[in-house]
Each structure stands twice: as structure tokens, then as C-alpha cells.
């Protein structure tokens, strides 16, 4: 089995942190909007947050500035 490079490890960590933050922000937004309408649809909260996390990871494929900075590029 092949070892991951340091740059790959940095990318996985940075992309993961961004995705988790995006999921939390999305969930908070959906919960806030639903609470304003007086009923939280938890399936919608989870699906919206999951989709936001996937989009965040896909967006990170284009590159993350913090990875370039830490890798010394």
C-alpha cells in the first residue's frame, strides 16, 4: 500500500475542516429558516447540510490556499 504524501495529508485535513464548517453553517441556516416558519424538518436539515459538505469537498479539489502556504509553495 502506498503512503500519502505530506501535501495530500494537508489537503485532506484542510478540506475536512472546511467541509465540517460548511455543514455546520448550512445546518444552522436551515434550522433558523425552519424555526422562523415554526417547524424544523430534520430530514431537510440533514440532507441540505450533507449536500453542502459534498459541494465543499468538490470545491476544494480546485485547490486550497492554506495547503499551498503550508507546503511552502
Amino acid at each position: 500500500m502506498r503512503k500519502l504524501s505530506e501535501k495530500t495529508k494537508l489537503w485532506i485535513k484542510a478540506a475536512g475542516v472546511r467541509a465540517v464548517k460548511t455543514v455546520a453553517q448550512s445546518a444552522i441556516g436551515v434550522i433558523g429558516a425552519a424555526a422562523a416558519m415554526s417547524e424544523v424538518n430534520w430530514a431537510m436539515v440533514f440532507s441540505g447540510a450533507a449536500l453542502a459538505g459534498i459541494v465543499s469537498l468538490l470545491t476544494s479539489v480546485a485547490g486550497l490556499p492554506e495547503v499551498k502556504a503550508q507546503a511552502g509553495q
Side-chain angles (χ1 to χ4, degrees):
M1 194 148 124
R2 198 172 133 198
K3 282 188 135 185
L4 296 175
S5 71
E6 282 302 311
K7 187 173 181 180
T8 302
K9 288 178 187 178
L10 286 172
W11 183 89
I12 290 170
K13 182 179 177 184
V17 167
R18 280 184 176 220
V20 168
K21 288 180 179 180
T22 301
V23 166
Q25 292 167 345
S26 177
I28 290 168
V30 174
I31 290 168
M37 294 185 286
S38 76
E39 186 176 319
V40 177
N41 180 338
W42 290 104
M44 185 171 63
V45 170
F46 292 127
S47 65
L51 179 60
I54 292 167
V55 170
S56 175
L57 287 173
L58 292 173
T59 302
S60 295
V61 171
L64 299 170
E66 57 268 36
V67 172
K68 290 179 184 177
Q70 288 180 11
Q73 292 181 342

